[in-house]
Amino acid sequence: MPQMSQGLRERAICILTAGMSTRPVACELNVHFSTISRLRRRFREFGSTSNQLHNCRPRVTTPAQDLHIQHLHLPDRLRPATQIAAATIGLHNQRISAQTVRKHLREAHLHARHPHQGLDLTAVCRRNRLEWANAHIQWHLALRKGVLFTDESRFSLYRADGRQRVWRPVGERFADVDVVDRVPHGGSGVMVWAGVCYGQQTQVHFTDGILNAQRYRDEILRPIVVPFIHNHHLMLQHDNAQPHVARICTQFLEAENIPVLAWPAYSPDMSPTELVWDALDRRIQQRVPVPANIQQLRTAIKEEWTNISQATINNLINSMRRRCVALREANGGHTRY
């Protein structure tokens, strides 16, 4: 449409959108009928009357088809762009590419991100988690101060946590200086048990081999937990791992008059110890040099455990109410904690 100026094209669109048909508009503006038809079709497809050349490829989908792409993606957000492209037809019955799908999803403020690795929460688990949140959301600080939060965690010598980045030029992905060595299954490691409460923390205990119920009672509960709780008048919190809820452990805790906080299954996001482990792991990875063997790893864990500030632990325990609020808002589902 080189014979029409931008002002004339805009005037024609205004008349067309007012309800006048194509042929009267062409007569009024003294323009050929086919020119107005092309202008109208172009405006419907691309929403613009501009006739300037551009470097990008023309759009192969209409706004309605872009919305259809979004509706295909939102119910199943793990669906790859290639499948959405195969199920979508563009203008003039032509196939669209996966890159076109990605571009339209980004235009709708949808971005590809690594999915959160969450636990498989059944309907019963969600209901129990929600009931627990409603029962403990009104706990005041004095009650939270009276709980000893305990947990186990495994620390490996080699751990790929996704935080490390490499700065390299294009085309050198597999250069030796840009490759990080990976050891299968994280290499050797140690299992650590510890507990935290408001203003206090227990010693760390290393567990060699498999921790069964008898070892949990004889190596952790009897020598560490029972004296600590009796001295500070606390309540014990541990998760629903099999050694924790075994009969010999529950009977032992009852005999020692140790109160146990009821805990919903699959709820690590409610425990402040998970973030304590994360802080400990970060401190170990930031050591110079990084532990190179099991003995150095044990020493690093002991030193960095005592270096974690009590203010950090207190803040995590204070976050219990926020965790309950988030769990209630998620209706017992996954939370950001």
Side-chain angles (χ1 to χ4, degrees), residues 2 25 38 88 127 137 154 218 224 243 299 307:
V25 174
R38 288 196 301 270
T88 306
R127 184 175 65 252
I137 196 171
R154 187 177 189 273
D218 297 338
I224 303 176
T299 302
N307 292 334

Side-chain angles (χ1 to χ4, degrees), residues 193-205:
W193 176 95
V196 296
C197 63
Y198 204 92
Q200 300 286 336
Q201 60 190 85
T202 69
Q203 65 189 37
V204 293
H205 175 77

Side-chain angles (χ1 to χ4, degrees), residues 4-267:
M4 295 185 66
S5 64
Q6 179 63 25
L8 190 61
R9 290 196 294 269
E10 292 178 355
R11 182 183 174 189
I13 290 299
C14 290
I15 299 175
L16 289 171
T17 54
M20 187 176 294
S21 59
T22 305
R23 192 171 298 278
V25 174
C27 296
E28 179 175 341
L29 300 180
N30 196 21
V31 179
H32 196 272
F33 168 77
S34 61
T35 301
I36 299 298
S37 297
R38 288 196 301 270
L39 176 65
R40 186 173 191 174
R41 184 169 59 252
R42 182 187 183 89
F43 183 76
R44 286 180 175 177
E45 293 179 358
F46 305 107
S48 173
T49 61
S50 176
N51 200 34
Q52 298 178 357
L53 296 177
H54 45 77
N55 295 327
C56 61
R57 298 176 60 186
R59 297 180 69 93
V60 296
T61 56
T62 64
Q65 290 170 330
D66 296 342
L67 188 62
H68 176 67
I69 291 174
Q70 299 174 29
H71 289 169
L72 283 177
H73 176 75
L74 289 176
D76 183 9
R77 302 193 180 188
L78 295 177
R79 190 177 186 182
T82 52
Q83 292 184 6
I84 298 179
T88 306
I89 302 297
L91 290 171
H92 312 298
N93 293 326
Q94 59 179 324
R95 291 287 182 180
I96 65 174
S97 65
Q99 185 60 32
T100 299
V101 173
R102 299 186 188 101
K103 180 181 68 175
H104 294 331
L105 292 177
R106 285 193 294 268
E107 290 175 352
H109 305 290
L110 300 173
H111 305 279
R113 297 291 186 266
H114 290 293
H116 172 67
Q117 301 293 329
L119 297 172
D120 184 14
L121 299 177
T122 63
V124 175
C125 289
R126 291 173 183 265
R127 184 175 65 252
N128 293 338
R129 280 162 53 86
L130 181 59
E131 292 175 355
W132 186 90
N134 292 330
H136 296 82
I137 196 171
Q138 297 300 331
W139 267 31
H140 48 79
L141 182 58
L143 292 175
R144 294 196 297 269
K145 286 183 176 181
V147 179
L148 175 65
F149 296 93
T150 66
D151 195 15
E152 299 93 9
S153 182
R154 187 177 189 273
F155 290 83
S156 302
L157 284 174
Y158 307 98
R159 180 178 178 183
D161 55 9
R163 302 183 189 129
Q164 191 175 17
R165 296 292 185 268
V166 59
W167 294 88
R168 61 173 176 80
V170 177
E172 292 189 3
R173 178 181 181 183
F174 301 103
D176 291 340
V177 294
D178 300 326
V179 175
V180 177
D181 295 333
R182 181 179 65 87
V183 178
H185 310 293
S188 301
V190 293
M191 181 67 71
V192 182
W193 176 95
V196 296
C197 63
Y198 204 92
Q200 300 286 336
Q201 60 190 85
T202 69
Q203 65 189 37
V204 293
H205 175 77
F206 297 98
T207 302
D208 297 324
I210 299 175
L211 180 66
N212 55 28
Q214 183 175 353
R215 292 189 61 190
Y216 180 63
R217 180 195 62 184
D218 297 338
E219 298 178 12
I220 296 177
L221 291 181
R222 179 177 286 118
I224 303 176
V225 173
V226 171
F228 192 90
I229 286 183
H230 283 167
N231 292 337
H232 299 91
H233 307 288
L234 300 173
M235 175 186 297
L236 174 63
Q237 180 276 328
H238 54 194
D239 58 26
N240 295 282
Q242 187 61 38
H244 300 169
V245 297
R247 180 178 300 176
I248 63 173
C249 292
T250 57
Q251 292 177 349
F252 172 77
L253 293 173
E254 291 175 358
E256 295 291 338
N257 294 322
I258 302 297
V260 179
L261 176 64
W263 197 255
Y266 298 115
S267 299

Side-chain angles (χ1 to χ4, degrees), residues 280-296:
L280 178 61
D281 181 64
R282 289 174 181 267
R283 298 180 71 95
I284 294 172
Q285 297 301 323
Q286 291 172 0
R287 289 173 66 96
V288 179
V290 177
N293 54 52
I294 293 297
Q295 185 56 44
Q296 293 181 5

Side-chain angles (χ1 to χ4, degrees), residues 292-308:
N293 54 52
I294 293 297
Q295 185 56 44
Q296 293 181 5
L297 180 60
R298 286 173 175 258
T299 302
I301 291 174
K302 290 180 180 179
E303 293 178 354
E304 297 300 338
W305 175 256
T306 59
N307 292 334
I308 296 178

